Amino acid sequence: MDTSRKPKALAQALQEIDELPSPVSGRATDYPANWHIAPHLHARHQLIYAVRGVMVVQTEVGRWVVPPTRAIWMVAGMTHEIRCIGEVHMRSVTVATDAASGLPGFTQAVGISPLLRELIRAAMDLSQPELSDLSDLPYIPDSRDGRVMRLILDEIRVLPVLPLHLQMPSDPRLLQICELLQQHLDDTSTMADWAQRLAVDVKTIQRLFVKETGMTFGQWRQQARLLRALELLASGEKVIDIALALGYDSPSAFSTMFRKQFDQTPSQFFAEN
């Protein structure tokens, strides 16, 4: 059964999601290349998963780059927007906040196991997105279909967290550094260089970086480069061009960094799709 649909008015889609009667429900939507989903929030948790394409998810606490075989667990009530890199086939699971105990309490990038991938596909067939009466449950809780949905909850509880997040600081001095770096990721300025430009003590900036982002300056810049690399790889850019654009001395230096983070080369990472 083809459950994919064209993007519809955001307000209508939000109302449909938040009024779903079942505690767990699947939802399928296909988005064209470069589609932008404007900032919004849900009263339900969401497991946002794309079987095709790469999503860039932005919230007030940071940004995630999410390729296929990965997903975002978006907690209820968090405002977010999504930018599609290439055509995106989104297969989301929405979860009522009282559906189960032990669900993740933070928005985070997660891995999708082969079992959960198949369960998500099954959820698309069970949820019947165009219900004529939203008071009707699309499946009986104490049934095979209901057990499939409960198994999804079990899998969500043990999702592995992935390093696909870029935490943005709130301190205006650090925010200035981070915003400029994201515009010029090939910038090789040191922490001392930035401290001199901003007339701030180096140790102060170092301390604030760790406090507000959980990373050192060098780690933050590497993470920003890594996430941008995922976007460029998904767009079909060559590794040599990505390496030079992000300030690496050579493609091998970039590939070494990538392998250290994901235990895979860039080509292996996207071959999983």
Side-chain angles (χ1 to χ4, degrees), residues 180-244:
L180 287 172
L181 277 177
Q182 288 190 93
Q183 296 171 20
H184 305 283
L185 285 171
D186 58 343
D187 189 328
T188 58
S189 298
T190 65
M191 188 76 272
D193 295 331
W194 285 106
Q196 184 176 10
R197 293 173 196 172
L198 299 175
V200 181
D201 183 69
V202 173
K203 291 184 178 179
T204 298
I205 295 182
Q206 290 174 335
R207 176 177 53 80
L208 286 173
F209 250 104
V210 174
K211 179 183 177 181
E212 298 207 2
T213 70
M215 303 178 183
T216 65
F217 167 75
Q219 290 169 335
W220 192 96
R221 179 165 58 188
Q222 177 172 289
Q223 183 73 352
R225 288 172 171 175
L226 176 67
L227 297 189
R228 180 57 179 158
L230 290 178
E231 294 184 48
L232 296 173
L233 287 166
S235 301
E237 297 288 336
K238 296 179 180 179
V239 170
I240 185 172
D241 295 331
I242 295 173
L244 296 176

Side-chain angles (χ1 to χ4, degrees), residues 37-252:
I37 303 173
H40 63 283
L41 56 83
H42 300 287
R44 297 164 65 99
H45 302 308
Q46 271 192 302
L47 183 65
I48 307 172
Y49 171 59
V51 297
R52 176 179 177 181
V54 172
M55 302 175 291
V56 179
V57 182
Q58 182 76 44
T59 73
E60 64 268 25
V61 299
R63 179 169 61 96
W64 290 262
V65 177
V66 191
T69 74
R70 281 77 175 172
I72 279 284
W73 173 254
M74 181 65 62
V75 296
M78 176 165 282
T79 300
H80 60 283
E81 59 185 293
I82 301 175
R83 179 164 52 89
C84 299
I85 306 297
E87 185 177 339
V88 167
H89 294 183
M90 190 181 294
R91 304 293 181 262
S92 298
V93 174
T94 67
V95 181
T97 54
D98 59 354
S101 61
L103 295 173
F106 301 95
T107 295
Q108 53 200 14
V110 294
I112 298 296
S113 67
L115 172 59
L116 183 54
R117 181 178 65 241
E118 295 307 318
L119 289 171
I120 291 172
R121 288 177 177 173
M124 298 304 110
D125 292 336
L126 300 180
S127 297
Q128 301 178 22
E130 297 293 353
L131 292 173
S132 59
D133 183 355
L134 285 175
S135 65
D136 291 337
L137 285 172
Y139 56 85
I140 299 172
D142 188 16
S143 66
R144 178 263 181 190
D145 294 347
R147 288 188 288 274
V148 166
M149 293 307 202
R150 289 201 300 275
L151 185 53
I152 288 176
L153 292 176
D154 288 339
E155 288 297 299
I156 287 175
R157 290 189 184 99
V158 296
L159 290 174
V161 180
L162 301 176
L164 298 173
H165 177 225
L166 189 66
Q167 178 77 30
M168 294 297 289
S170 58
D171 183 275
R173 295 163 296 183
L174 268 60
L175 190 59
Q176 180 181 350
I177 295 173
C178 292
E179 288 178 343
L180 287 172
L181 277 177
Q182 288 190 93
Q183 296 171 20
H184 305 283
L185 285 171
D186 58 343
D187 189 328
T188 58
S189 298
T190 65
M191 188 76 272
D193 295 331
W194 285 106
Q196 184 176 10
R197 293 173 196 172
L198 299 175
V200 181
D201 183 69
V202 173
K203 291 184 178 179
T204 298
I205 295 182
Q206 290 174 335
R207 176 177 53 80
L208 286 173
F209 250 104
V210 174
K211 179 183 177 181
E212 298 207 2
T213 70
M215 303 178 183
T216 65
F217 167 75
Q219 290 169 335
W220 192 96
R221 179 165 58 188
Q222 177 172 289
Q223 183 73 352
R225 288 172 171 175
L226 176 67
L227 297 189
R228 180 57 179 158
L230 290 178
E231 294 184 48
L232 296 173
L233 287 166
S235 301
E237 297 288 336
K238 296 179 180 179
V239 170
I240 185 172
D241 295 331
I242 295 173
L244 296 176
L246 298 183
Y248 288 93
D249 294 333
S250 66
S252 61

